[in-house]
Amino acid sequence: MRVVIAEDSVLLREGLTRLLTDRGHEVVAGVGDGDALIKTITELHDQGELPDVVVADVRMPPTHTDEGVRAAVQLRRAHPGLGVLVLSQYVEERYATELLAGSSRGVGYLLKDRVAEVREFVDAVVRVAGGGTALDPEVVAQLLGRSRKQDVLERLTPREREVLGLMAEGRTNSAIARQLVVSDGAVEKHVSNIFLKLDLSPSDGDHRRVLAVLTYLNS
């Protein structure tokens, strides 16, 4: 297996290299930022020596925000057969979703803590290189949770979504009625339907309006 590692921490980059080479794999390059990663992969491709997999940190210089994952997404588009495994300190749903937006073949997203579990980490790299998938359990859990929230909102009609959006702006039923040019009774009916569809039953301890808005914002 031929690997390129993109990690700005020299210590971690050398550690990953050692883990892989000790198990018989070849680390053909190690770089410290997203631009260098893209340049390296482009050069290797032009030489007919595209690696099997890239292992890249999500956050790298110069801004330490999303350089790594943006490079990974760009490389997957340019080289569909290239395996890409990204490492992150925390679960970042937006980046995981962006990476998985296309085909899930040959893609992985792991928390850096998993690197300490050497066998599992190396197995994940090999699996991604072979066209498989390696997703951290915590990433899966959060993405599934997000999906469930979106599914709940899909129960709402376009008008109910509009009403909920205005509720999220802090508007009263009367203000919503004026905005939509409908009666107060019509808004009350929409709000009742929203509570019903979001499974928000009457409760002394919970304020359904607040819970509905939180569901909307978290989606």
Side-chain angles (χ1 to χ4, degrees), residues 53 76 80-85 103-108 127-134:
V53 61
R76 277 178 60 77
L82 175 66
V84 173
L85 173 63
S103 170
S104 61
R105 177 177 171 79
V107 65
R127 190 160 64 251
V128 170
T133 303

Side-chain angles (χ1 to χ4, degrees), residues 195 199-206 208:
F195 292 156
D199 299 321
L200 298 174
S201 57
S203 169
D204 294 334
D206 295 326
R208 290 191 294 173

Side-chain angles (χ1 to χ4, degrees), residues 25-188:
H25 304 297
E26 181 185 2
V27 176
V28 297
V31 299
D33 61 74
D35 289 340
L37 173 59
I38 292 173
K39 180 180 179 181
T40 297
I41 295 300
T42 300
E43 290 175 350
L44 289 171
H45 175 265
D46 291 344
Q47 296 166 11
E49 299 179 354
L50 192 69
D52 300 299
V53 61
V54 167
V55 178
D57 190 357
V58 166
R59 300 186 176 198
M60 289 193 290
T63 67
H64 292 279
T65 54
D66 61 353
E67 283 83 358
V69 75
R70 282 195 289 107
V73 170
Q74 184 175 332
L75 289 173
R76 277 178 60 77
R77 290 173 182 162
H79 311 286
L82 175 66
V84 173
L85 173 63
V86 299
L87 303 176
S88 179
Q89 193 70 40
Y90 310 101
V91 178
E92 302 183 72
E93 292 181 20
R94 180 168 66 87
Y95 299 151
T97 301
E98 186 175 4
L99 187 66
L100 296 166
S103 170
S104 61
R105 177 177 171 79
V107 65
Y109 189 113
L110 296 180
L111 295 183
K112 286 188 174 180
D113 289 347
R114 304 295 173 191
V115 176
E117 300 168 7
V118 176
R119 182 174 178 178
E120 290 186 21
F121 169 71
V122 175
D123 286 348
V125 177
V126 173
R127 190 160 64 251
V128 170
T133 303
L135 295 179
D136 196 286
E138 292 189 32
V139 174
V140 173
Q142 290 205 24
L143 292 179
L144 286 176
R146 180 178 179 181
S147 176
R148 282 195 292 270
K149 292 170 187 173
Q150 291 175 331
D151 289 343
V152 168
L153 291 185
E154 286 175 0
R155 302 175 188 173
L156 305 182
T157 66
R159 176 61 94 182
E160 288 164 355
R161 277 176 168 269
E162 191 173 10
V163 170
L164 183 54
L166 292 171
M167 288 167 60
E169 294 178 9
R171 304 199 189 196
T172 64
N173 285 2
S174 296
I176 294 172
R178 289 194 297 272
Q179 174 72 23
L180 300 180
V181 194
V182 297
S183 68
D184 287 1
V187 173
E188 289 174 6

